[in-house]
Amino acid sequence: MNERSRAMILMAVTALIWSSGGLAIKLVDINPMAITGFRSMLAALTLGVLFRRRLHFCFSPIQWGAAMGYAGLLITNVVATKLTTSANAILLAYTAPVYVAMLAPWLLKEKTRRSDWVFISVTVGGMTLFFLDKLSPSGLWGNIIAIGTGFSYAIFTLCMRAQKDASPVESVIMGHVITALCGLPFMFDAMPDFESWTGLIYLGIFQQGISLALYTWAIKRLGALEAILIMMLEPIFNPLFVAIGYGELPGLWAVIGGLVVMGAVTLRGAMGALRKA
């Protein structure tokens, strides 16, 4: 098996590990802020050990911006997954390219094409379909917070692009440390039981720690289009794992909205990769 084939397999494994996060979060029975605190503490330690010889923290404003964006992504994703369906939480997070397209002209001086505005309109239309389902008050807030996940993901992406020799590891570790500090006041309200500790260890060490090591190795050996298409496994399998392991099913309008959002995101990513090629 050549290096490119191994990279494709490892990228698919990474996407599947990331997609398991929704089910693991659902099964951990503690405060969502405590979940994200414990997960990030374990993830920061894991990444620090794995990349200890290659880390370079410059603590520039851009590196801090990427770290804050990543912390926002981690916190809002866990809270949204607890408050609304896992499908809604992950699919609304994938609206990040909308905010990137809107903010890139001001922050990065990158021109937004006319086709990007069509993409934005279609994606926003898909987002509105999520709110047509019959939602509980907590489900409504979960959807709103999940939109914040997409915005945080966009800030992280923009700040990473703004770094000339960007390495995601330093900003990700800083983001995990910030997240752990935010979750610290909630982490000792009630200690997790054995089942919850098992889920937290999996989320911190494997779902966030080891998976990133696989991702950073594989992304350097794949084209942009290949990486985009393989990572689409995450929003597909995330709600599937939750449906099988937790019995949670998204509403009809959320499914339709998710198909619209994922179709638009995939098409835009594929067109961008082909344009560069």
Side-chain angles (χ1 to χ4, degrees), residues 11 70 158 237:
M11 184 65 79
Y70 196 68
L158 289 166
F237 278 90

Side-chain angles (χ1 to χ4, degrees), residues 94-228:
Y94 266 77
T95 59
V98 170
Y99 311 114
V100 171
M102 294 174 67
L103 295 174
W106 288 274
L107 297 178
L108 300 178
K109 308 304 180 184
E110 294 180 359
K111 184 179 179 181
T112 300
R113 298 178 177 85
R114 187 176 300 174
S115 59
D116 288 328
W117 292 110
V118 175
F119 153 75
I120 291 171
S121 301
V122 173
T123 307
V124 171
M127 290 168 59
T128 60
L129 296 177
F130 284 85
F131 294 89
L132 296 181
D133 280 321
K134 294 181 179 179
L135 294 172
S136 64
S138 64
L140 177 62
W141 277 108
N143 281 8
I144 294 171
I145 292 170
I147 293 174
T149 305
F151 184 77
S152 297
Y153 192 7
I155 295 298
F156 172 70
T157 302
L158 289 166
C159 289
M160 290 306 300
R161 273 195 206 170
Q163 299 179 65
K164 291 182 179 180
D165 300 313
S167 168
V169 180
E170 291 85 1
S171 291
V172 166
I173 291 176
M174 290 170 63
H176 277 303
V177 171
I178 294 169
T179 304
L181 291 175
C182 290
L184 190 63
F186 305 89
M187 289 163 62
F188 302 102
D189 285 346
M191 292 304 293
D193 56 20
F194 177 78
E195 182 178 338
S196 293
W197 268 119
T198 303
L200 290 170
I201 290 170
Y202 172 77
L203 285 167
I205 296 177
F206 293 95
Q207 198 261 341
Q208 283 290 312
I210 293 175
S211 66
L212 183 66
L214 298 177
Y215 179 83
T216 54
W217 187 89
I219 194 65
K220 296 177 181 178
R221 294 161 175 83
L222 292 176
L225 179 57
E226 292 171 318
I228 288 166

Side-chain angles (χ1 to χ4, degrees), residues 4 9 23 33 42 67 89 104 116 127-128 140 178 196 201 218 236 238 240 251 275:
R4 179 174 170 275
I9 292 173
L23 176 59
M33 286 299 298
L42 293 170
D116 288 328
M127 290 168 59
T128 60
L140 177 62
I178 294 169
S196 293
I201 290 170
I236 293 172
N238 182 301
L240 181 61
R275 190 183 296 118

Side-chain angles (χ1 to χ4, degrees), residues 23-66:
L23 176 59
I25 290 169
K26 290 287 187 183
L27 294 176
V28 175
D29 189 22
I30 58 174
N31 185 292
M33 286 299 298
I35 293 175
T36 194
F38 278 118
R39 180 176 74 165
S40 286
M41 179 180 67
L42 293 170
L45 291 172
T46 302
L47 292 170
V49 171
L50 291 175
F51 294 93
R52 61 188 180 279
R53 296 180 181 177
R54 288 182 282 168
L55 295 177
H56 176 67
F57 295 95
C58 62
F59 300 108
S60 65
I62 293 298
Q63 193 173 71
W64 275 112

